[in-house]
Coordinates of all heavy atoms in Angstrom, one line a residue:
M1 N 12.8 -13.7 10.6 CA 12.0 -12.9 9.7 C 11.0 -12.2 10.5 O 10.7 -11.0 10.1 CB 11.3 -14.0 8.6 CG 10.8 -13.2 7.6 SD 11.9 -12.3 6.6 CE 11.1 -12.1 5.2
V2 N 10.5 -12.8 11.6 CA 9.6 -12.0 12.3 C 10.1 -10.8 13.0 O 9.5 -9.7 13.0 CB 8.9 -12.9 13.4 CG1 8.1 -12.1 14.4 CG2 8.1 -14.0 12.8
I3 N 11.3 -10.8 13.4 CA 12.1 -9.8 14.0 C 12.2 -8.6 13.0 O 12.0 -7.4 13.3 CB 13.4 -10.2 14.6 CG1 13.1 -11.1 15.8 CG2 14.2 -8.9 15.1 CD1 14.3 -11.6 16.5
V4 N 12.6 -9.0 11.7 CA 12.9 -8.0 10.7 C 11.5 -7.3 10.4 O 11.4 -6.1 10.2 CB 13.5 -8.6 9.5 CG1 13.5 -7.7 8.3 CG2 14.9 -9.2 9.7
S5 N 10.4 -8.1 10.2 CA 9.1 -7.5 9.9 C 8.6 -6.6 11.0 O 8.1 -5.5 10.8 CB 8.2 -8.7 9.8 OG 8.4 -9.4 8.7
L6 N 8.9 -6.9 12.3 CA 8.5 -6.1 13.4 C 9.3 -4.8 13.4 O 8.7 -3.8 13.7 CB 8.6 -6.9 14.8 CG 8.1 -6.2 16.1 CD1 6.7 -5.9 15.8 CD2 8.3 -7.1 17.2
A7 N 10.5 -4.9 13.1 CA 11.4 -3.8 13.2 C 10.9 -2.9 12.0 O 10.9 -1.5 12.2 CB 12.9 -4.1 12.9
A8 N 10.7 -3.3 10.9 CA 10.1 -2.5 9.8 C 8.9 -1.8 10.2 O 8.6 -0.7 9.8 CB 10.0 -3.3 8.5
F9 N 8.0 -2.5 10.8 CA 6.7 -2.0 11.2 C 6.9 -0.9 12.2 O 6.3 0.2 12.1 CB 5.8 -3.1 11.9 CG 4.5 -2.6 12.5 CD1 3.5 -2.2 11.6 CD2 4.4 -2.5 13.8 CE1 2.3 -1.7 12.2 CE2 3.2 -1.9 14.3 CZ 2.2 -1.5 13.5
V10 N 7.7 -1.1 13.2 CA 8.0 -0.1 14.3 C 8.6 1.2 13.7 O 8.3 2.3 13.9 CB 8.8 -0.7 15.4 CG1 9.2 0.4 16.4 CG2 8.0 -1.7 16.2
G11 N 9.6 0.9 12.8 CA 10.2 2.0 12.0 C 9.3 2.8 11.2 O 9.3 4.0 11.2
G12 N 8.4 2.1 10.5 CA 7.4 2.8 9.7 C 6.5 3.7 10.6 O 6.1 4.8 10.3
A13 N 6.0 3.0 11.8 CA 5.3 3.8 12.7 C 5.9 5.1 13.2 O 5.2 6.1 13.4 CB 4.8 2.9 13.9
V14 N 7.1 5.0 13.5 CA 7.9 6.2 14.0 C 7.9 7.3 12.9 O 7.6 8.4 13.2 CB 9.3 5.7 14.4 CG1 10.2 7.0 14.7 CG2 9.3 4.9 15.6
V15 N 8.1 6.9 11.7 CA 8.1 7.9 10.6 C 6.8 8.6 10.5 O 6.7 9.8 10.3 CB 8.7 7.2 9.2 CG1 8.4 8.1 8.1 CG2 10.0 6.8 9.4
V16 N 5.7 7.8 10.4 CA 4.4 8.4 10.2 C 3.8 9.2 11.4 O 3.0 9.9 11.3 CB 3.3 7.3 9.6 CG1 3.8 6.7 8.5 CG2 3.0 6.3 10.8
R17 N 4.4 9.0 12.6 CA 3.9 9.7 13.7 C 4.4 11.1 13.6 O 3.8 12.0 14.4 CB 4.4 9.1 15.0 CG 3.9 7.7 15.3 CD 2.6 7.6 15.9 NE 2.6 8.4 17.2 CZ 1.4 8.5 17.8 NH1 0.3 7.9 17.4 NH2 1.3 9.2 18.9
R18 N 5.4 11.5 12.8 CA 5.9 12.8 12.7 C 4.8 13.7 12.1 O 4.0 13.2 11.3 CB 7.1 12.8 11.8 CG 8.4 12.2 12.4 CD 9.5 12.5 11.4 NE 9.1 12.1 10.0 CZ 10.0 11.5 9.2 NH1 11.2 11.3 9.5 NH2 9.6 11.2 8.0
A19 N 4.8 14.9 12.4 CA 3.7 15.8 11.8 C 4.0 16.1 10.4 O 5.2 16.4 10.1 CB 3.6 17.1 12.7
G20 N 3.1 16.1 9.6 CA 3.3 16.5 8.2 C 4.0 15.6 7.4 O 4.2 14.3 7.8
T21 N 4.5 16.0 6.2 CA 5.3 15.1 5.4 C 6.6 15.7 5.1 O 6.8 17.0 5.3 CB 4.7 14.9 4.0 OG1 4.3 16.2 3.5 CG2 3.3 14.1 4.3
T22 N 7.6 15.0 4.8 CA 9.0 15.4 4.5 C 9.0 16.1 3.1 O 8.1 15.9 2.3 CB 10.0 14.3 4.6 OG1 9.8 13.4 3.5 CG2 10.0 13.7 5.9
A23 N 10.1 16.9 2.8 CA 10.2 17.5 1.4 C 10.3 16.3 0.4 O 9.8 16.5 -0.6 CB 11.5 18.4 1.5
A24 N 11.1 15.3 0.8 CA 11.2 14.2 -0.2 C 9.9 13.6 -0.5 O 9.6 13.3 -1.7 CB 12.2 13.2 0.4
E25 N 9.1 13.4 0.5 CA 7.7 12.8 0.3 C 6.9 13.7 -0.7 O 6.2 13.3 -1.5 CB 7.0 12.6 1.6 CG 7.5 11.6 2.4 CD 6.9 11.4 3.8 OE1 7.0 12.4 4.5 OE2 6.3 10.4 4.0
Q26 N 7.0 15.0 -0.3 CA 6.3 16.0 -1.2 C 6.7 16.0 -2.7 O 5.8 16.0 -3.6 CB 6.5 17.5 -0.6 CG 5.8 17.7 0.8 CD 4.3 17.8 0.6 OE1 3.8 18.1 -0.4 NE2 3.5 17.6 1.6
R27 N 8.1 15.9 -2.9 CA 8.5 15.8 -4.3 C 8.0 14.6 -5.0 O 7.7 14.7 -6.1 CB 10.1 15.9 -4.2 CG 10.6 17.3 -4.0 CD 12.1 17.4 -4.3 NE 12.9 16.4 -3.6 CZ 13.4 16.6 -2.4 NH1 13.2 17.7 -1.7 NH2 14.1 15.6 -1.7
C28 N 8.2 13.5 -4.3 CA 7.8 12.3 -4.8 C 6.3 12.3 -5.2 O 5.9 11.8 -6.3 CB 8.1 11.1 -3.9 SG 7.7 9.5 -4.5
F29 N 5.5 12.7 -4.3 CA 4.0 12.8 -4.6 C 3.7 13.8 -5.7 O 3.0 13.4 -6.5 CB 3.4 13.3 -3.3 CG 1.8 13.5 -3.5 CD1 1.1 12.3 -3.4 CD2 1.3 14.7 -3.8 CE1 -0.4 12.4 -3.6 CE2 -0.1 14.7 -4.1 CZ -0.9 13.6 -3.9
A30 N 4.5 14.9 -5.8 CA 4.2 15.8 -6.9 C 4.5 15.2 -8.2 O 3.8 15.3 -9.2 CB 5.0 17.1 -6.7
L31 N 5.7 14.5 -8.2 CA 6.1 13.8 -9.5 C 5.1 12.8 -9.9 O 4.7 12.7 -11.1 CB 7.5 13.2 -9.2 CG 8.0 12.3 -10.4 CD1 8.4 13.1 -11.5 CD2 9.1 11.4 -10.0
L32 N 4.6 11.9 -8.9 CA 3.7 10.8 -9.3 C 2.4 11.4 -9.6 O 1.7 11.1 -10.5 CB 3.6 9.8 -8.3 CG 4.9 9.0 -8.0 CD1 4.7 8.2 -6.8 CD2 5.2 8.2 -9.3
N33 N 1.9 12.5 -8.9 CA 0.6 13.0 -9.1 C 0.5 13.8 -10.5 O -0.5 14.0 -11.0 CB 0.3 14.0 -8.0 CG -1.2 14.3 -7.9 OD1 -2.1 13.4 -7.9 ND2 -1.6 15.6 -7.9
G34 N 1.7 14.1 -11.0 CA 1.7 14.9 -12.2 C 1.7 14.0 -13.4 O 1.8 14.4 -14.6
L35 N 1.7 12.7 -13.3 CA 1.8 11.8 -14.5 C 0.6 11.9 -15.3 O -0.5 12.3 -14.8 CB 1.9 10.3 -13.9 CG 3.1 9.9 -13.2 CD1 3.0 8.5 -12.7 CD2 4.4 10.0 -14.1
S36 N 0.7 11.6 -16.6 CA -0.4 11.7 -17.5 C -1.3 10.4 -17.2 O -1.0 9.6 -16.5 CB 0.1 11.5 -19.0 OG 0.6 10.1 -19.2
H37 N -2.5 10.6 -17.7 CA -3.5 9.5 -17.4 C -3.0 8.1 -18.1 O -3.3 7.1 -17.5 CB -4.9 9.9 -18.1 CG -5.6 10.9 -17.4 ND1 -6.1 10.7 -16.1 CD2 -5.8 12.2 -17.7 CE1 -6.6 11.9 -15.8 NE2 -6.4 12.8 -16.7
R38 N -2.2 8.1 -19.1 CA -1.7 6.8 -19.7 C -0.6 6.2 -18.6 O -0.6 5.1 -18.4 CB -1.1 7.1 -21.0 CG -2.0 7.0 -22.1 CD -1.3 7.1 -23.4 NE -1.9 8.4 -24.1 CZ -1.5 8.9 -25.1 NH1 -0.5 8.4 -25.8 NH2 -2.1 9.9 -25.6
A39 N 0.3 7.1 -18.2 CA 1.2 6.7 -17.2 C 0.5 6.2 -15.9 O 1.0 5.2 -15.3 CB 2.2 7.8 -16.9
H40 N -0.5 6.7 -15.5 CA -1.2 6.4 -14.3 C -1.8 5.0 -14.6 O -1.7 4.1 -13.7 CB -2.4 7.4 -14.1 CG -3.2 6.9 -12.8 ND1 -4.3 6.2 -12.9 CD2 -2.9 7.2 -11.5 CE1 -4.7 5.9 -11.7 NE2 -4.0 6.5 -10.8
A41 N -2.3 4.7 -15.8 CA -2.8 3.4 -16.0 C -1.8 2.3 -16.0 O -2.0 1.2 -15.5 CB -3.4 3.4 -17.5
L42 N -0.5 2.7 -16.2 CA 0.6 1.7 -16.0 C 0.9 1.3 -14.6 O 1.3 0.3 -14.3 CB 1.9 2.2 -16.7 CG 1.8 2.3 -18.3 CD1 3.1 2.9 -18.9 CD2 1.6 0.9 -18.9
V43 N 0.8 2.4 -13.7 CA 1.1 2.2 -12.4 C 0.0 1.7 -11.5 O 0.2 1.3 -10.3 CB 1.9 3.4 -11.7 CG1 3.2 3.7 -12.4 CG2 0.9 4.6 -11.7
W44 N -1.2 1.7 -12.0 CA -2.4 1.5 -11.3 C -2.4 0.1 -10.8 O -2.6 -0.2 -9.6 CB -3.6 1.8 -12.1 CG -4.9 1.5 -11.3 CD1 -5.5 2.4 -10.5 CD2 -5.7 0.3 -11.3 NE1 -6.7 1.7 -9.9 CE2 -6.7 0.4 -10.4 CE3 -5.5 -0.9 -12.0 CZ2 -7.7 -0.5 -10.2 CZ3 -6.5 -2.0 -11.7 CH2 -7.5 -1.8 -10.8
A45 N -2.1 -0.9 -11.7 CA -2.1 -2.3 -11.3 C -1.2 -2.6 -10.2 O -1.5 -3.3 -9.2 CB -2.0 -3.1 -12.5
P46 N 0.1 -2.2 -10.3 CA 1.0 -2.5 -9.2 C 0.6 -1.9 -7.9 O 0.8 -2.4 -6.8 CB 2.4 -1.9 -9.7 CG 2.3 -1.9 -11.2 CD 0.9 -1.7 -11.4
M47 N 0.0 -0.6 -7.9 CA -0.5 -0.1 -6.7 C -1.6 -0.9 -6.0 O -1.7 -0.9 -4.8 CB -1.1 1.4 -7.0 CG -0.1 2.4 -7.3 SD -0.8 4.1 -7.5 CE -2.4 3.9 -8.1
Q48 N -2.4 -1.6 -6.8 CA -3.5 -2.4 -6.2 C -2.9 -3.6 -5.5 O -3.6 -4.3 -4.7 CB -4.4 -2.9 -7.3 CG -5.1 -1.7 -8.0 CD -5.6 -0.6 -7.1 OE1 -6.3 -0.8 -6.2 NE2 -5.1 0.6 -7.3
L49 N -1.6 -4.0 -5.7 CA -1.1 -5.1 -5.1 C -0.9 -4.9 -3.5 O -0.8 -5.8 -2.8 CB 0.3 -5.5 -5.6 CG 0.3 -6.0 -7.0 CD1 1.7 -6.3 -7.7 CD2 -0.6 -7.4 -7.2
G50 N -1.0 -3.6 -3.2 CA -0.9 -3.2 -1.7 C -2.3 -3.3 -1.2 O -2.5 -2.9 0.1
S51 N -3.4 -3.5 -2.0 CA -4.8 -3.5 -1.4 C -5.2 -4.9 -1.1 O -4.5 -5.8 -1.4 CB -5.7 -2.9 -2.5 OG -5.8 -3.7 -3.6
L52 N -6.4 -5.0 -0.7 CA -6.9 -6.3 -0.2 C -7.1 -7.2 -1.6 O -6.8 -8.5 -1.5 CB -8.2 -6.2 0.4 CG -9.0 -7.4 0.9 CD1 -8.1 -8.3 1.8 CD2 -10.2 -7.2 1.4
G53 N -7.3 -6.6 -2.7 CA -7.6 -7.5 -3.9 C -6.3 -8.1 -4.4 O -6.4 -9.1 -5.1
G54 N -5.2 -7.4 -4.2 CA -3.9 -8.0 -4.8 C -3.6 -9.4 -4.2 O -3.4 -10.3 -5.1
P55 N -3.6 -9.6 -3.0 CA -3.2 -11.0 -2.5 C -4.3 -12.0 -2.9 O -3.9 -13.1 -3.1 CB -2.9 -10.9 -1.0 CG -3.6 -9.6 -0.6 CD -3.5 -8.7 -1.8
L56 N -5.5 -11.5 -2.9 CA -6.5 -12.5 -3.3 C -6.5 -12.9 -4.7 O -6.5 -14.0 -5.1 CB -7.9 -11.8 -3.0 CG -8.2 -11.6 -1.6 CD1 -9.6 -10.9 -1.4 CD2 -8.2 -12.8 -0.8
A57 N -6.1 -11.9 -5.6 CA -5.9 -12.1 -7.0 C -4.7 -13.1 -7.3 O -4.8 -14.1 -8.1 CB -5.8 -10.9 -7.8
V58 N -3.6 -12.8 -6.6 CA -2.4 -13.6 -6.7 C -2.6 -15.0 -6.2 O -2.3 -16.1 -6.8 CB -1.3 -13.0 -6.0 CG1 -0.1 -13.9 -6.0 CG2 -0.8 -11.7 -6.7
G59 N -3.4 -15.1 -5.1 CA -3.7 -16.4 -4.5 C -4.6 -17.2 -5.5 O -4.4 -18.4 -5.7
A60 N -5.5 -16.6 -6.1 CA -6.5 -17.2 -7.0 C -5.6 -17.7 -8.3 O -5.9 -18.8 -8.8 CB -7.6 -16.3 -7.5
A61 N -4.8 -16.9 -8.8 CA -3.9 -17.2 -9.8 C -3.1 -18.4 -9.5 O -2.9 -19.4 -10.4 CB -3.0 -16.0 -10.4
L62 N -2.5 -18.4 -8.4 CA -1.7 -19.6 -7.9 C -2.5 -20.8 -7.9 O -2.1 -21.9 -8.3 CB -1.0 -19.3 -6.6 CG 0.2 -18.4 -6.7 CD1 0.6 -17.8 -5.3 CD2 1.4 -19.0 -7.4
R63 N -3.7 -20.8 -7.3 CA -4.6 -21.9 -7.3 C -5.0 -22.3 -8.6 O -4.9 -23.5 -8.9 CB -5.8 -21.6 -6.5 CG -5.6 -21.5 -5.0 CD -6.9 -21.3 -4.2 NE -8.0 -22.3 -4.5 CZ -8.1 -23.4 -3.8 NH1 -7.2 -23.7 -2.8 NH2 -9.0 -24.3 -4.0
A64 N -5.2 -21.4 -9.6 CA -5.6 -21.8 -11.0 C -4.5 -22.5 -11.7 O -4.7 -23.3 -12.6 CB -6.0 -20.5 -11.7
T65 N -3.2 -22.3 -11.3 CA -2.0 -22.9 -11.9 C -1.6 -24.3 -11.2 O -0.7 -24.8 -11.6 CB -0.9 -21.9 -12.0 OG1 -0.5 -21.6 -10.6 CG2 -1.2 -20.8 -12.8
G66 N -2.5 -24.6 -10.3 CA -2.2 -25.9 -9.6 C -1.4 -25.8 -8.3 O -1.2 -26.7 -7.6
R67 N -1.1 -24.6 -7.9 CA -0.3 -24.4 -6.6 C -1.3 -24.0 -5.5 O -1.3 -22.9 -5.0 CB 0.7 -23.4 -6.8 CG 1.7 -23.8 -8.0 CD 3.0 -23.2 -8.2 NE 3.7 -23.5 -6.9 CZ 4.8 -22.8 -6.6 NH1 5.3 -21.9 -7.5 NH2 5.5 -23.0 -5.6
R68 N -2.1 -24.9 -5.2 CA -3.4 -24.7 -4.3 C -2.9 -24.3 -2.9 O -3.4 -23.2 -2.4 CB -4.2 -25.8 -4.2 CG -5.0 -26.2 -5.4 CD -5.8 -27.5 -5.2 NE -7.0 -27.8 -5.8 CZ -7.9 -26.9 -6.3 NH1 -7.8 -25.7 -6.3 NH2 -9.1 -27.4 -6.9
R69 N -1.9 -24.9 -2.3 CA -1.5 -24.6 -0.9 C -0.8 -23.3 -0.8 O -1.2 -22.4 0.0 CB -0.7 -25.7 -0.3 CG -1.5 -26.9 -0.2 CD -0.6 -28.0 0.5 NE -0.2 -27.7 1.9 CZ 0.8 -28.0 2.5 NH1 1.6 -28.9 2.0 NH2 1.0 -27.6 3.8
L70 N 0.1 -23.1 -1.8 CA 0.7 -21.8 -1.9 C -0.3 -20.6 -2.1 O -0.3 -19.5 -1.5 CB 1.8 -21.7 -3.0 CG 2.6 -20.4 -3.1 CD1 3.2 -20.1 -1.8 CD2 3.5 -20.5 -4.3
G71 N -1.2 -20.9 -3.0 CA -2.3 -19.8 -3.3 C -3.0 -19.5 -2.1 O -3.4 -18.3 -1.8
D72 N -3.5 -20.6 -1.3 CA -4.2 -20.4 -0.1 C -3.4 -19.5 1.0 O -4.0 -18.6 1.6 CB -4.6 -21.7 0.6 CG -5.6 -22.4 -0.3 OD1 -6.4 -21.8 -1.1 OD2 -5.8 -23.6 0.0
R73 N -2.1 -19.8 1.1 CA -1.2 -19.1 2.0 C -1.0 -17.8 1.7 O -1.1 -16.8 2.5 CB 0.1 -19.8 2.2 CG 0.0 -21.2 3.0 CD 1.5 -21.6 3.4 NE 2.4 -21.7 2.4 CZ 2.7 -22.7 1.6 NH1 2.2 -23.9 1.9 NH2 3.7 -22.5 0.7
V74 N -0.9 -17.5 0.4 CA -0.8 -16.1 -0.2 C -2.0 -15.3 0.1 O -1.9 -14.1 0.7 CB -0.4 -16.0 -1.6 CG1 -0.5 -14.6 -2.2 CG2 1.0 -16.5 -1.8
A75 N -3.1 -15.8 -0.1 CA -4.4 -15.2 0.2 C -4.6 -14.9 1.6 O -5.0 -13.8 2.1 CB -5.5 -15.9 -0.4
A76 N -4.3 -16.0 2.4 CA -4.6 -15.9 3.9 C -3.7 -14.9 4.6 O -4.1 -13.9 5.4 CB -4.3 -17.2 4.5
V77 N -2.4 -14.8 4.2 CA -1.4 -13.9 4.8 C -1.7 -12.6 4.3 O -1.7 -11.5 5.0 CB 0.1 -14.2 4.3 CG1 1.0 -13.1 4.7 CG2 0.4 -15.5 5.1
G78 N -2.2 -12.3 3.0 CA -2.6 -11.0 2.6 C -3.7 -10.5 3.3 O -3.8 -9.2 3.6
V79 N -4.7 -11.3 3.5 CA -5.9 -10.7 4.2 C -5.6 -10.5 5.7 O -6.0 -9.4 6.2 CB -7.1 -11.8 4.2 CG1 -8.2 -11.5 5.1 CG2 -7.6 -12.0 2.7
V80 N -4.8 -11.2 6.3 CA -4.4 -11.0 7.8 C -3.7 -9.7 7.8 O -3.8 -8.8 8.6 CB -3.7 -12.1 8.4 CG1 -3.0 -11.8 9.6 CG2 -4.7 -13.4 8.5
T81 N -2.7 -9.5 6.9 CA -1.9 -8.3 6.9 C -2.8 -7.0 6.5 O -2.6 -6.1 7.3 CB -0.8 -8.4 5.7 OG1 0.0 -9.6 6.0 CG2 0.1 -7.2 5.6
W82 N -3.7 -7.2 5.7 CA -4.6 -6.0 5.4 C -5.4 -5.6 6.6 O -5.5 -4.4 7.0 CB -5.4 -6.4 4.2 CG -6.3 -5.2 3.7 CD1 -6.0 -4.2 2.9 CD2 -7.7 -5.0 4.1 NE1 -7.0 -3.4 2.7 CE2 -8.1 -3.8 3.4 CE3 -8.6 -5.7 4.9 CZ2 -9.3 -3.3 3.6 CZ3 -9.8 -5.1 4.9 CH2 -10.3 -4.0 4.3
V83 N -6.0 -6.7 7.3 CA -6.8 -6.5 8.5 C -5.9 -5.8 9.6 O -6.3 -4.9 10.3 CB -7.5 -7.7 8.9 CG1 -8.1 -7.5 10.2 CG2 -8.6 -8.2 7.9
A84 N -4.8 -6.4 9.7 CA -3.9 -5.9 10.8 C -3.5 -4.4 10.5 O -3.5 -3.5 11.4 CB -2.6 -6.7 10.9
A85 N -3.2 -4.1 9.3 CA -2.9 -2.7 8.9 C -4.0 -1.7 9.2 O -3.8 -0.6 9.7 CB -2.5 -2.6 7.5
R86 N -5.2 -2.2 8.9 CA -6.4 -1.4 9.1 C -6.6 -1.2 10.7 O -7.0 -0.1 11.1 CB -7.7 -2.0 8.6 CG -7.8 -2.1 7.2 CD -7.6 -0.9 6.5 NE -8.7 -0.5 5.6 CZ -8.9 0.5 4.9 NH1 -8.0 1.5 5.1 NH2 -9.8 0.8 4.2
A87 N -6.3 -2.2 11.4 CA -6.4 -2.1 12.9 C -5.5 -1.2 13.5 O -5.8 -0.5 14.5 CB -6.3 -3.5 13.5
V88 N -4.1 -1.1 13.0 CA -3.2 -0.3 13.6 C -3.1 1.2 13.0 O -2.4 2.0 13.7 CB -1.7 -0.9 13.6 CG1 -1.7 -2.2 14.3 CG2 -1.2 -1.0 12.2
K89 N -3.8 1.3 11.9 CA -3.7 2.7 11.2 C -4.2 3.8 12.1 O -3.5 4.8 12.1 CB -4.6 2.6 10.0 CG -4.3 3.7 9.0 CD -5.0 3.6 7.7 CE -4.6 4.8 6.8 NZ -5.2 4.5 5.4
P90 N -5.2 3.6 12.9 CA -5.6 4.7 13.8 C -4.4 5.1 14.9 O -4.5 6.1 15.5 CB -6.8 4.2 14.5 CG -7.4 3.1 13.6 CD -6.2 2.6 13.0
L91 N -3.6 4.2 15.1 CA -2.5 4.4 16.1 C -1.5 5.3 15.6 O -0.7 5.9 16.4 CB -1.9 3.1 16.6 CG -2.8 2.1 17.2 CD1 -2.0 0.7 17.5 CD2 -3.5 2.6 18.4
A92 N -1.4 5.5 14.3 CA -0.4 6.4 13.7 C -1.0 7.3 12.6 O -0.9 7.1 11.4 CB 0.8 5.5 13.1
P93 N -1.9 8.2 13.1 CA -2.7 8.9 12.1 C -1.7 9.8 11.2 O -0.7 10.3 11.7 CB -3.5 9.9 13.0 CG -3.0 9.9 14.3 CD -2.1 8.6 14.5
R94 N -2.1 9.9 10.0 CA -1.4 10.8 9.1 C -2.3 11.3 8.1 O -3.3 10.7 7.6 CB -0.3 9.9 8.4 CG 0.6 10.6 7.5 CD 1.6 9.7 7.0 NE 2.5 10.4 6.1 CZ 3.8 10.4 6.2 NH1 4.3 9.7 7.1 NH2 4.6 11.1 5.4
S95 N -2.1 12.7 7.7 CA -3.0 13.3 6.8 C -2.9 12.8 5.5 O -1.8 12.2 5.1 CB -2.7 14.8 6.8 OG -1.4 15.1 6.2
R96 N -4.0 12.7 4.7 CA -4.1 12.2 3.3 C -3.5 13.3 2.4 O -3.6 14.5 2.7 CB -5.5 11.8 2.9 CG -6.1 10.8 3.8 CD -5.4 9.5 3.8 NE -5.5 8.9 2.5 CZ -4.7 8.0 2.1 NH1 -3.7 7.5 2.8 NH2 -4.8 7.6 0.8
P97 N -2.9 13.0 1.2 CA -2.3 14.0 0.4 C -3.4 15.1 -0.1 O -3.0 16.1 -0.2 CB -1.9 13.2 -0.9 CG -1.6 11.8 -0.3 CD -2.7 11.6 0.8
A98 N -4.7 14.7 -0.2 CA -5.6 15.6 -0.7 C -5.8 16.8 0.4 O -6.2 17.9 0.1 CB -7.0 15.0 -0.8
H99 N -5.4 16.5 1.6 CA -5.6 17.5 2.7 C -4.3 18.2 3.0 O -4.3 19.3 3.6 CB -6.1 16.8 4.0 CG -7.4 16.1 3.8 ND1 -7.6 14.9 4.1 CD2 -8.6 16.6 3.3 CE1 -8.8 14.5 3.8 NE2 -9.4 15.6 3.4
S100 N -3.1 17.7 2.6 CA -1.8 18.3 3.0 C -1.1 18.8 1.8 O -0.1 19.5 2.0 CB -1.0 17.2 3.8 OG -0.7 16.1 2.9
T101 N -1.5 18.6 0.5 CA -0.8 18.9 -0.6 C -1.7 19.7 -1.5 O -2.7 19.3 -1.9 CB -0.2 17.7 -1.3 OG1 0.6 16.9 -0.5 CG2 0.6 18.2 -2.5
P102 N -1.3 21.0 -1.9 CA -2.1 21.8 -2.7 C -2.1 21.2 -4.2 O -1.2 20.4 -4.6 CB -1.4 23.1 -2.8 CG -0.1 22.9 -2.2 CD -0.1 21.7 -1.4
A103 N -3.2 21.3 -4.9 CA -3.3 20.9 -6.2 C -3.3 19.4 -6.4 O -2.7 18.9 -7.4 CB -2.4 21.5 -7.2
T104 N -3.8 18.6 -5.5 CA -3.8 17.2 -5.5 C -4.9 16.8 -6.6 O -6.0 17.2 -6.4 CB -4.2 16.5 -4.2 OG1 -3.1 17.0 -3.3 CG2 -4.2 15.0 -4.3
R105 N -4.5 15.8 -7.4 CA -5.3 15.3 -8.4 C -5.7 13.9 -8.0 O -5.0 13.0 -7.8 CB -4.7 15.2 -9.8 CG -5.6 14.7 -10.8 CD -4.9 14.8 -12.1 NE -3.6 14.1 -12.0 CZ -2.9 13.4 -13.1 NH1 -3.4 13.6 -14.3 NH2 -1.9 12.8 -13.0
I106 N -7.1 13.6 -7.7 CA -7.6 12.3 -7.4 C -8.2 11.7 -8.7 O -9.1 12.3 -9.2 CB -8.7 12.5 -6.3 CG1 -8.1 13.2 -5.1 CG2 -9.2 11.1 -5.8 CD1 -6.9 12.6 -4.3
L107 N -7.6 10.6 -9.1 CA -8.2 10.0 -10.3 C -9.2 8.9 -9.9 O -9.2 8.3 -8.9 CB -7.0 9.3 -11.0 CG -6.0 10.4 -11.5 CD1 -4.8 9.6 -12.2 CD2 -6.5 11.3 -12.4

């Protein structure tokens, strides 16, 4: 599992080191950025699962249901992953959509 994770990380780093964004990324971004505010509300919660709060909330929910050890592990792995991602992000800089895509809507 560690090898698969490392391969995914290195593969992702190679992709983001390219200058700019691909046409597919631009199309996907335009599609999602054009969603109505109601549709945005539906996708907002799943988007937060990739943030620091996601694994902490899931860990807390697991603890609340009696699965304390699993909840602790989920929260710990989530925090370590988030910190590691923040640490390596400067190694693979990439422009933000607001800077590289015209008519970006920030909600």
